[in-house]
Amino acid sequence: MILEKISGPSDVSELNLGELELLAEEVREALIYRLSESGGHVGSNLGVVELTVALHYVFDSPKDKLIWDVSHQCYAHKMLTGRRQAYTDKAHFGDVTGFTNIEESEHDHFTVGHTATSISLALGMAKARDISGKKENIIAIIGDGAMSGGEAYEALNYAGEYDKNLIIILNDNNQSIGENHGGLYAKLTELRNTAGQSLDNVFRGLNLDYMYLDEGHNVEKLVDTLKKVKDIDHPVVLHVHTTKGKGLPYSEANKEDWHSSGPFNVKDGSSKNGIPNYDMTIHDSIIDLYNRDSTAVVISAATPRAMGFVGDERADYIEKGRFVDVGIAEENAMAMASGMAKYGITAVFGAYGTFLQRTYDQLIHDLCLNNSPATILVLMPGAYGMKSNTHFSMCDIQMFSHVPNLVYLSPAYKEEYQASFKYATMQKEHPVAIRVPNRFYECGYKDNTDYSLINKAKIMREGSGAAIIAVGALIPKALEMADECVEKLGIDITVINPVFLSGIDVELLEKLKENHDLVITMEDGILDGGYGTAIAGYYGDSAMKVITLGITKEFHSNFNTEELLNACGISTEKVLEIIKGNLKL
Amino acid sequence: MILEKISGPSDVSELNLGELELLAEEVREALIYRLSESGGHVGSNLGVVELTVALHYVFDSPKDKLIWDVSHQCYAHKMLTGRRQAYTDKAHFGDVTGFTNIEESEHDHFTVGHTATSISLALGMAKARDISGKKENIIAIIGDGAMSGGEAYEALNYAGEYDKNLIIILNDNNQSIGENHGGLYAKLTELRNTAGQSLDNVFRGLNLDYMYLDEGHNVEKLVDTLKKVKDIDHPVVLHVHTTKGKGLPYSEANKEDWHSSGPFNVKDGSSKNGIPNYDMTIHDSIIDLYNRDSTAVVISAATPRAMGFVGDERADYIEKGRFVDVGIAEENAMAMASGMAKYGITAVFGAYGTFLQRTYDQLIHDLCLNNSPATILVLMPGAYGMKSNTHFSMCDIQMFSHVPNLVYLSPAYKEEYQASFKYATMQKEHPVAIRVPNRFYECGYKDNTDYSLINKAKIMREGSGAAIIAVGALIPKALEMADECVEKLGIDITVINPVFLSGIDVELLEKLKENHDLVITMEDGILDGGYGTAIAGYYGDSAMKVITLGITKEFHSNFNTEELLNACGISTEKVLEIIKGNLKL
């Protein structure tokens, strides 16, 4: 075993070629072991094993700086930089996160999880190096999928006028999460097919030096090529052809399914947890839209699976022009949605809340300023959504609730989601964003809300004394709390679903004054600037007491939602205490 | 006069070549008349006169859709689409805005003022056209400067796999607001120098068809070329070489100064208003930084003049690597700032608040998640900042105050700005954003604030009964109100400068309870989700009355700041009334 002797990159640099090749084999074996046990990003990590070994052989990390784009391909890098055990010993699985992490190692320069950022970050480091009079290599490793993102282009363009050392390794496995989209990819394919000789070369078109290596799993060739670019005195794009999922036949064959995975049996790739049960609520709401509106179009920015569109069905709707995947390009997606809506058709753009942060300006300027009646689906926001600090999505209310013209809806139940989606896609009055619940609880009755009554909240349970106003996902919890109030405090409180997060129901808030002394707001996003403060602002000059509960302003990571909510005071115990204390029961 | 007979594009399409050329002359004459009388975007408008005439001759607007990027070059378009008088008759100057405007004309498809959006908007319309079974031409007209923006690239890339009519006119005058930055521009120059024949062609690299026209002011050639692309069945980039400022020798010679201008004398270009008096406070704070920190770097995204850097001085600092202009590429700028700060040097990125919206995700993910101690200067936000709805910047507090790790400072006076800038650029604890005042009032004394005491507010005047907590720019107004309170109500109120907008001073807020019954918050941004609601949230369960004042949630445009503030209740009269009513005086 060579891997067990590697405690850092300096150990890698002492190996000979045969040993490097063996090390790569062992790294892949360890990867497969850990991935099959605990799941993770399969394809991207298997695709860069040899590249990572060669990088740590040729360059001198952390003096030379390796900056991994997205960083979901960093497992081999972690293995070679002192974190080997986290991949070979189950007891140490918890020692590392799935992304580069500045708190783990001096070899990780940034904590990242979003695509298309590495070249910019590298450029910043390169300029800082120059002004500091230093000389080390700055290396960005970026996948082909990330190359559809505007930030990557902005950085490539600036790199095209930069004149010092900067090495951009384009790790091209011809696959994004799903298939790639964009003219770039036809031309990258031409470059691969011509060993880099094709004249239509976007990098040269941006004034960048360019080199090509076809054998991206050949350690010897990788080492030779990396030695050629080491200490180069100007920016260069090194285009390396790799295979996503390399080493596991089923992941090589089905790249999208194996982008990431839960625990699996190595022999055949079958899941250890059984077949995951995908909720088709979003998908079905879109099919319903397609059926009732012959020109409706749905847009995704490289995450079509998040809306349940896969395989032949997706290909079919793309072919018909009814499903558009623009690649990792949220800015373009948002503005296209505005263009479609302005033309007069029904347009829906669905994306994870964390990635919608990339298109805040297009939301404001392209969509809302033009009052284009498109529908934006905000997926997995808040504490019930993504659990990694690299995929922060706790400020969606701050982002979506305060833009003029925009209506932000927060359905609590499956039935409410369905009705609000139908409303959003049938009206032509304004842009509508929907905070899509991460889990679709069913309330069991039809949602008859008239969503055209803007800002009208819904009384879920009518009582007195205290009222809880809870943002969407927290409604079931609020109703449980109300039950407990009857049982433990002997009072019947009110529970309100605000439905609209982009405004308040003044009439209802006024009416509450008649027989309530306390309003508690609860939200699963960051408290500061969130929904609850709007309620507090409204009641500021009245006798109504308002307690706002929400998530503390931190980059929470790898959290358990219930534990986080509890820690932020969103628990039955704490809320009953608040009610008891304030109502002097 | 031909222009006076043009009431719409159909009148243009009936002219012969000689008449078209005459029309172009008259349009330029009208442009110069209006620009010299009322100011506006000089260079961009003079540069597209012939192109605009040819477009309206060849295409059939509004069926064919002309989508102007940024739209600060739309004056000729407005003249030819029924809005002629607004350029020839002073009494009608107020009839039009300086940007395309959906409320003005069916020939304006979008209200826009930000760059790099036109191709995305056009793609949205093109896809909507296809699904609607229609056939008209969709044309985006985009400048070379805008091509550095990520959104433009994302759209170009998607256009590269799109297979129906889409015409992208690259209006290349080899000039952004200042000089262009990025490798793209070296290659656009090569394309111009080789009549489009150079092989390093970024558009072909993205799988796009490409055509070149060198004589961008020759109406006949423009008409011929546009006829060739009319009804084309796939996307094409038509690269047209034009001259910014065409027709006025001084604006052709000095393109940056003539990007936009106030009223001027046509004869020699001298200003009718005298030489504008630039405030050099930001510039001088940066020079001070350069002098005390030999590796500090300042970044701009194509608006270096906003920080006072022009001419030789700018060129000199760029040459030294101490001033970096990345082009219109805020995403890259923000991430580069993070990279620099992570490397260990002092990095400052300054940009208009409205454009920082484009880099919300990089702020969260690249900068704050990594707690990189860079300084972000937020220029011209709020009601004292930009006055056009196309340059909306009223949600900066919502954007900057709630991101974990970020400190958002709001200096009220020049002295406070200087001290907070010094603090931000000397500390290495966290990213700091500064809400830079639009006008630097001097308070006349040194600012001795210890900014390392995070969230510590400043008592500007100590009184009792009522307290005003006013965000930066409104402090002078709040102090005036306090004077009026003494005079008219006979009470001495407290005035507080929160200094930090990213948190609250709990100790001070608690202390206020001792001898205050009312807190009034004032901010010059949108009230919902703003600073005041944080105060209201804090006092929610106490007896303290809180009245929050801020701007209503609308796309206010062409407003007078004082009038808008008054309309939103931020006036001495209204505030005194509130105090009187609530304190029962």
Side-chain angles (χ1 to χ4, degrees), chain A residues 74 290 519 524 554:
Chain A
C74 70
Y290 284 153
V519 166
D524 65 322
E554 288 167 66

Side-chain angles (χ1 to χ4, degrees), chain B residues 155-336:
Chain B
L156 279 175
N157 180 40
Y158 186 69
E161 81 165 38
Y162 178 61
D163 59 0
K164 302 279 190 316
N165 170 283
L166 177 72
I167 300 164
I168 300 162
I169 298 182
L170 171 57
N171 164 36
D172 182 3
N173 55 35
N174 192 26
Q175 181 84 14
S176 187
I177 301 173
E179 73 279 5
N180 278 310
H181 283 281
L184 172 69
Y185 299 101
K187 292 301 173 176
L188 288 185
T189 297
E190 261 184 35
L191 283 166
R192 289 194 310 277
N193 292 344
T194 60
Q197 298 302 305
S198 165
L199 293 176
D200 291 347
N201 183 317
V202 67
F203 308 108
R204 294 199 193 278
L206 293 170
N207 204 31
L208 285 155
D209 193 8
Y210 171 86
M211 290 173 66
Y212 180 78
L213 175 67
D214 196 60
E215 292 155 283
H217 295 285
N218 180 319
V219 176
E220 184 177 6
K221 298 232 163 134
L222 280 162
V223 166
D224 285 351
T225 310
L226 291 175
K227 279 183 174 169
K228 277 182 208 153
V229 296
K230 189 182 181 185
D231 300 325
I232 197 167
D233 66 354
H234 61 273
V236 62
V237 173
L238 172 57
H239 184 180
V240 178
H241 181 193
T242 60
T243 302
K244 194 165 179 172
K246 179 78 176 179
L248 285 178
Y250 38 85
S251 75
E252 288 188 40
N254 188 344
K255 294 184 170 67
E256 183 171 349
D257 281 355
W258 287 92
H259 174 74
S260 66
S261 161
F264 59 92
N265 298 302
V266 177
K267 201 182 130 198
D268 57 1
S270 59
S271 170
K272 282 182 178 167
N273 298 341
I275 295 162
N277 201 355
Y278 285 111
D279 189 302
M280 295 300 273
T281 303
I282 302 173
H283 170 273
D284 293 348
S285 69
I286 292 172
I287 297 294
D288 175 60
L289 166 65
Y290 285 152
N291 290 339
R292 65 181 149 82
D293 184 341
S294 66
T295 61
V297 174
V298 175
I299 307 171
S300 172
T303 51
R305 193 182 278 257
M307 292 187 281
F309 282 80
V310 294
D312 290 343
E313 184 187 54
R314 180 169 85 216
D316 187 40
Y317 279 108
I318 288 179
E319 175 65 30
K320 286 183 197 150
R322 307 207 62 187
F323 195 93
V324 172
D325 184 345
V326 296
I328 303 176
E330 291 81 4
E331 300 183 277
N332 182 41
M334 184 69 80
M336 277 184 72

Side-chain angles (χ1 to χ4, degrees), chain B residues 546-582:
Chain B
V546 180
I547 305 279
T548 54
L549 300 175
I551 307 300
T552 52
K553 190 166 80 171
E554 287 166 69
F555 284 107
H556 299 283
S557 200
N558 302 313
F559 55 82
N560 171 288
T561 301
E562 290 306 316
E563 285 172 13
L564 178 61
L565 292 172
N566 277 340
C568 296
I570 302 178
S571 68
T572 302
E573 194 189 341
K574 182 70 194 297
V575 167
L576 263 63
E577 210 174 274
I578 290 171
I579 292 173
K580 210 172 148 186
N582 277 275

